[in-house]
Amino acid sequence: METDTRDGPVTKANVTMPETQTTPDQRTAGRASTKMSATDLNLWYGETQALHGINLDMPSQEVTALIGPSGCGKSTFLRCLNRMNDLIPQVRIKGGVALDGEDIYDPSVDVVQLRTFVGMVFQKPNPFPKSIYENIAYAPRLHGTGTSRSELDDLVESSLKRAGLWNEVADRLDTPGTELSGGQQQRLCIARAIAVNPEVILMDEPASALDPLATATVEELIHELKDNYTIVIVTHNLQQAARVAGYTAFFHMGQIVEVNDTDTLFTNPAEQRTEDYITGRFG
Amino acid sequence: MDKKTFTQHISQQYNEDLEHIVTRVMTMGGLVEQQLEAALEALVDGDEQKGEQVVTSDYRINAMEVELDEACTHILARRQPTASDLRLIMAVIKAITDLERIGDEAERVGRMALHLLDEDRRRSPMAEIAALGEQIKGILRGALDAFARMDSEQAVRVAQEDIKADAQYDSIVRNLVKHLEDNPKSVPPVLDIVWATRSLERIGDRSRNICEYVIYFVRGKDVRHISFEQMAEEATGDRR
């Protein structure tokens, strides 16, 4: 399959999710141990190839960390997992990314719907300039998953609870999300991501702008979310990958050098390039 | 040890910290060797001065263990080492524990030697014990050598030598038991000899432990509590 988005990004208007993928329950029923997988994935920005034949299985209800030096392609790869790269002009993708075995680049896939299944949390907390309540309620209202006020109230509460933020904001849901501390804002963004009931959460350096305490809180949250979601996290912080991830993939120059369970990768990596990177050698 | 182990970190300070630790381990190993040498001279030749020296010098080895433990703790806290760096620190932490215990065993040999100063050395199986002592010295030296060069194949050879030393120890103890049966009045001095021989055997075992840490560092495999054949295979076979 080859998807060329030079003529503009894929929009909701031209696609819908395949019928077999319309409800989370149906998708969950077929859950295998691999939630998402990339197969021989190549990506070009114009003439520059950024990803070279990436093959990676991301296990269900596990945290997979993507590590590697700047420019190695890990964030580019992460963005492929919910087609965020579709928004970038001149991106060309060849190869496959599957969610529960279904190709997410299939022309019949509704990208907006896809992104409710595969949510994203960014490096810099980016709450909407709205109240805490509206930050959570916005997407469910848009997607029609919460219509009545009481449904939305429940959803806001449960999402904030799952993100470990409820106790801190329950009495001030009407205050702007932007008034929270950095760590709280990031947990608000995670709550916003899980409000639409995703199955996979992508995190692009979710704690790099946070202090150590807020980082620890977010990492603890990741650990708890793992029981219900599949998480893929990009991080420059090797210790963070070691702390939160069950599996770690080392990217270098647009390729995956090594994927292994995190314990093995950090104690006895198979590849010299991995060893050099994680031990801080010149390589 | 491959110089690359220390020289290729982006942080020069990290290189120096690791190099310093390994240098100090080798210094500690040298001290332990000296202690064993002196203890054997005290035991085999009845050299009182050497015996006293062994008993009063052990504190230096203990102090080095404490110093190295602290240095390793600092590396763990400041650098959060990974991969071969982590395995190196783990190997050092474990090796210095064994080196300190080898020092204790050497001290015990020295103490027993002081008890036995007035004994007629021709009566006891001192020739066999001297031979065992030489064997154990070779094993300790070999283990330190394997550690210095991080040579897993050398580590296997040393472990094999320790198996031979264990057999030699068993033979000496059998002879001592027989001697006790024939000479019931000689129990106190013979027990001292048994203790000293036992300490020598333990030094061999602890040297073998150091060899196991060498294999852990080089191969990333934990070879403790497995057969010699399995250990040799892990140390020399394909890396995975």
Side-chain angles (χ1 to χ4, degrees):
Chain A
M1 178 225 53
E2 183 158 348
T3 304
D4 194 334
T5 56
R6 282 183 218 196
D7 298 325
V10 179
T11 63
K12 189 182 178 186
N14 61 358
V15 286
T16 55
M17 289 295 282
E19 272 191 39
T20 53
Q21 301 239 325
T22 45
T23 71
D25 287 343
Q26 282 175 301
R27 296 155 53 81
T28 307
R31 172 178 289 160
S33 60
T34 297
K35 187 70 187 173
M36 292 197 82
S37 61
T39 307
D40 197 20
L41 185 69
N42 295 273
L43 179 146
W44 291 262
Y45 291 118
E47 294 303 309
T48 309
Q49 188 166 2
L51 295 177
H52 300 259
I54 302 292
N55 290 291
L56 180 66
D57 287 342
M58 285 145 281
S60 186
Q61 293 176 341
E62 268 290 354
V63 180
T64 302
L66 313 180
I67 62 170
S70 297
C72 68
K74 57 191 187 299
S75 291
T76 294
F77 175 73
L78 191 77
R79 288 197 298 267
C80 288
L81 299 180
N82 73 345
R83 297 185 54 172
M84 295 279 288
N85 287 321
D86 290 5
L87 307 173
I88 300 172
Q90 297 207 318
V91 160
R92 189 160 55 92
I93 293 168
K94 190 179 173 200
V97 176
L99 174 63
D100 290 327
E102 300 287 339
D103 183 2
I104 66 168
Y105 283 92
D106 188 283
S108 63
V109 169
D110 178 340
V111 182
V112 173
Q113 197 70 29
L114 168 71
R115 290 184 192 138
T116 67
F117 291 125
V118 186
M120 176 82 101
V121 176
F122 297 89
Q123 177 176 9
K124 195 159 174 277
N126 57 349
F128 301 138
K130 292 171 177 290
S131 70
I132 293 169
Y133 185 97
E134 280 303 314
N135 262 277
I136 309 294
Y138 184 80
R141 197 183 282 132
L142 193 72
H143 289 289
T145 50
T147 45
S148 73
R149 177 75 193 189
S150 67
E151 273 177 347
L152 283 174
D153 286 352
D154 289 346
L155 193 56
V156 167
E157 181 175 339
S158 66
S159 300
L160 286 170
K161 277 182 174 166
R162 277 187 287 174
L165 192 59
W166 176 251
N167 289 342
E168 293 161 60
V169 301
D171 56 351
R172 50 176 171 145
L173 294 175
D174 293 334
T175 57
T178 48
E179 285 184 12
L180 295 171
S181 72
Q184 288 173 326
Q185 285 188 22
Q186 195 60 302
R187 280 181 285 147
L188 178 62
C189 292
I190 292 171
R192 186 179 66 190
I194 59 187
V196 292
N197 200 20
E199 299 185 4
V200 180
I201 303 176
L202 311 177
M203 298 185 170
D204 194 353
E205 300 206 50
S208 65
L210 306 182
D211 71 34
L213 272 181
T215 298
T217 310
V218 167
E219 287 178 2
E220 180 60 21
L221 174 58
I222 291 170
H223 183 73
E224 284 167 13
L225 291 174
K226 183 187 78 165
D227 293 341
N228 295 307
Y229 307 94
T230 299
I231 296 171
V232 186
I233 177 172
V234 162
T235 177
H236 270 298
N237 182 332
L238 297 177
Q239 273 70 46
Q240 181 168 68
R243 285 191 297 265
V244 304
Y247 296 89
T248 300
F250 171 52
F251 279 67
H252 191 236
M253 297 174 77
Q255 295 175 315
I256 289 187
V257 174
E258 181 172 354
V259 190
N260 222 324
D261 70 89
T262 299
D263 284 330
T264 302
L265 192 123
F266 279 95
T267 56
N268 192 18
E271 300 293 329
Q272 187 61 41
R273 277 187 293 170
T274 315
E275 168 97 22
D276 288 342
Y277 181 69
I278 66 174
T279 59
R281 284 177 167 83
F282 299 126
Chain B
M1 189 178 303
D2 189 345
K3 197 74 178 161
K4 277 199 309 193
T5 305
F6 312 121
T7 55
Q8 291 197 335
H9 291 96
I10 293 162
S11 164
Q12 184 59 29
Q13 184 62 46
Y14 195 6
N15 291 335
E16 289 169 10
D17 289 348
L18 289 178
E19 190 161 14
H20 172 75
I21 281 177
V22 172
T23 304
R24 294 297 284 167
V25 172
M26 297 329 297
T27 307
M28 184 177 178
L31 272 181
V32 171
E33 273 190 299
Q34 283 174 24
Q35 287 286 87
L36 176 60
E37 175 85 36
L40 284 170
E41 284 178 32
L43 182 68
V44 175
D45 305 333
D47 187 329
E48 183 175 6
Q49 196 193 339
K50 293 280 183 185
E52 296 286 356
Q53 179 193 319
V54 172
V55 172
T56 55
S57 300
D58 186 51
Y59 76 95
R60 293 165 66 198
I61 292 168
N62 297 346
M64 289 201 76
E65 186 199 18
V66 172
E67 174 208 314
L68 274 162
D69 258 342
E70 193 176 342
C72 289
T73 306
H74 288 169
I75 294 255
L76 290 172
R78 285 165 176 261
R79 304 285 180 183
Q80 293 103 45
T82 53
S84 62
D85 295 336
L86 177 63
R87 299 201 304 275
L88 176 68
I89 295 296
M90 293 307 295
V92 166
I93 289 172
K94 288 178 162 292
I96 60 176
T97 302
D98 277 300
L99 283 175
E100 191 274 333
R101 293 294 176 85
I102 291 173
D104 289 348
E105 298 291 358
E107 184 193 350
R108 188 199 296 261
V109 172
R111 211 177 284 284
M112 296 305 122
L114 292 175
H115 292 180
L116 294 164
L117 285 176
D118 299 331
E119 292 298 317
D120 179 357
R121 288 187 146 58
R122 288 167 302 180
R123 282 198 317 172
S124 60
M126 205 48 81
E128 288 86 346
I129 292 175
L132 176 65
E134 287 304 312
Q135 217 172 342
I136 296 297
K137 263 165 48 182
I139 288 169
L140 175 59
R141 170 157 296 248
L144 290 169
D145 201 38
F147 195 92
R149 293 189 282 114
M150 284 299 169
D151 181 343
S152 59
E153 290 177 9
Q154 156 94 347
V156 171
R157 287 194 293 274
V158 173
Q160 194 160 31
E161 285 301 307
D162 181 52
I163 293 172
K164 292 182 197 163
D166 287 348
Q168 175 75 358
Y169 163 77
D170 289 340
S171 158
I172 292 172
V173 170
R174 268 198 308 274
N175 288 340
L176 287 169
V177 169
K178 187 164 187 315
H179 179 82
L180 276 179
E181 286 167 355
D182 298 343
N183 307 279
K185 288 183 182 169
S186 66
V187 167
V190 171
L191 273 186
D192 285 339
I193 292 171
V194 169
W195 281 121
T197 312
R198 170 76 180 157
S199 284
L200 291 176
E201 188 265 341
R202 292 297 298 145
I203 291 173
D205 292 347
R206 292 192 176 277
S207 301
R208 177 188 162 137
N209 291 350
I210 293 173
C211 293
E212 291 169 351
Y213 313 144
V214 171
I215 294 166
Y216 171 69
F217 170 78
V218 176
R219 314 287 299 191
K221 303 279 181 160
D222 191 336
V223 295
R224 295 173 300 173
H225 315 302
I226 58 176
S227 71
F228 172 76
E229 289 72 23
Q230 286 173 302
M231 173 190 186
E233 194 180 319
E234 293 288 8
T236 54
D238 290 337
R239 190 141 189 266
R240 260 161 216 287

